[in-house]
Amino acid sequence: MSTYSPIIWKNNNLFLLDQRLLPHEEVFVEVKTLEGCVAAIKDMVVRGAPCIGFSAIFGMALWTNSTKTLNSASINKACDDMIAARPTAVNLAFEVNRCREIMLGELQKGSSQNDLFHKLVAFGNLQIEESEKKNTAMAQFALNDLKKRVNKSKWNLMTHCNTGFLACGSLGTALGVISLAHRENKVEHVFADETRPYLQGSRLTAFELGKEKIPYSIVVEGAASYLMKNGKIDAIFVGADRIAKNGDTANKVGTSTLSIVASHYGVPFYVVAPISSFDLQTSSGEHIEIEMRPTEEITQIKGVQIAPLNAQVVNPSFDVTDYKFITGIVCEKGFIDPSIPGEVERIVNS
Ligand code: MRU
């Protein structure tokens, strides 16, 4: 477990660990305004679906504290501006819409601006605090299922992108399962996808695995088939940015390819995510908006041009994994078998 959170609220100020500088520098930046928070989310100072949502709550608190016009129109505009920062991770809209509800409710009750500010701060702190319990619950559900499916004393596990405390502010989702398994002495080795182009795997997941002394190797995404064909992977755990009603799951680009290879080789493939990552309003994956990121994330590495200067680039930041390639979706309420129609909705609403 981490000794610090990537999101710190202290003396009415918001500090975010600048994840762009990891793993070589651990620097916190102060965020002072709603616009500053939107920029920090867009520019990936803070990233990972749950942490984007938590930071946004504090961004809304900062706005409440400083705005000269607090009415329903200005509240709705501020919330919408925040939600627009990144479109795919539904956790952002989930948390901001809960802030909207609190703010509009308090406004109607005639609460003061200061009351509203403190309510939002308390709400933000509570979400981060509760995420530890939720992450632990989902990790336990996932491990119980894996123990039934793969009867070995220790497992070789694979993961994609970054889903630990840097993404979640606590134990983590997919990486939370791996951490818990490690504490039970059940992890032989972890294969962490490098996660092109932003390298969340080699920069962030490797950093987190190292902190916990979990044995790992970084692999390029293209190595997945080699590893699975040679029996080197017992199970794969990934997180989620948006899970549609039928179980189709948007996650970091490359997740879908991994799921198809896993299905081909019969390797269990799990999605681990909190309730805030589910979007029951979206019937299936084709309706999920996929964020397109800047060209330079692909053509350059740390500011050094790699591709030809005039190279054309397509940079979708996420893809959608078809529910039929997912062995199980695990949330804090339990295990979901997405092949059973209506099961996502049943568990989420339970
Ligand atoms: O673009 P990022 O780094 O915010 O993408 C993060 C991911 O795709 C994670 O896998 C996802 O948010 C799950 S985090 C628990």
Side-chain angles (χ1 to χ4, degrees), residues 19 41 44 46-52 86 89 91 135 159-164 166-168 172-175 195 198 200 203-204 238-242 250-253 255 272-274 277 291 293 297 317-318:
Q19 299 195 25
I41 291 172
M44 313 270 267
V46 62
R47 31 82 34 218
C51 272
I52 292 172
R86 289 193 75 188
N91 310 62
N135 286 177
T159 191
H160 188 65
C161 198
N162 171 260
T163 62
L166 293 168
C168 304
T173 54
L175 215 55
T195 317
Y198 208 73
Q200 287 93 333
R203 292 189 307 109
L204 309 176
V238 299
D241 285 80
R242 191 180 290 250
N251 191 50
K252 182 52 58 194
V253 68
T255 306
V272 186
S277 301
E291 176 184 357
R293 299 277 311 168
E297 287 183 358
S317 193
F318 301 94

Side-chain angles (χ1 to χ4, degrees), residues 178-198:
I178 292 171
S179 295
L180 205 69
H182 174 66
R183 286 178 216 170
E184 292 184 13
N185 200 24
K186 295 280 294 170
V187 176
E188 184 70 43
H189 203 79
V190 176
F191 293 90
D193 269 351
E194 174 192 42
T195 317
R196 284 285 296 155
Y198 208 73

Side-chain angles (χ1 to χ4, degrees), residues 266-315:
V267 174
F269 184 94
Y270 294 90
V271 170
V272 186
I275 292 294
S276 54
S277 301
F278 288 78
D279 176 7
L280 297 182
Q281 310 302 319
T282 296
S283 56
S284 61
E286 76 251 36
H287 305 295
I288 298 176
E289 182 183 348
I290 299 296
E291 176 184 357
M292 302 306 284
R293 299 277 311 168
T295 305
E296 295 71 33
E297 287 183 358
I298 289 184
T299 57
Q300 301 179 354
I301 294 180
K302 290 229 164 261
V304 177
Q305 184 75 19
I306 304 295
L309 278 173
N310 56 356
Q312 298 224 4
V313 165
V314 181
N315 186 15

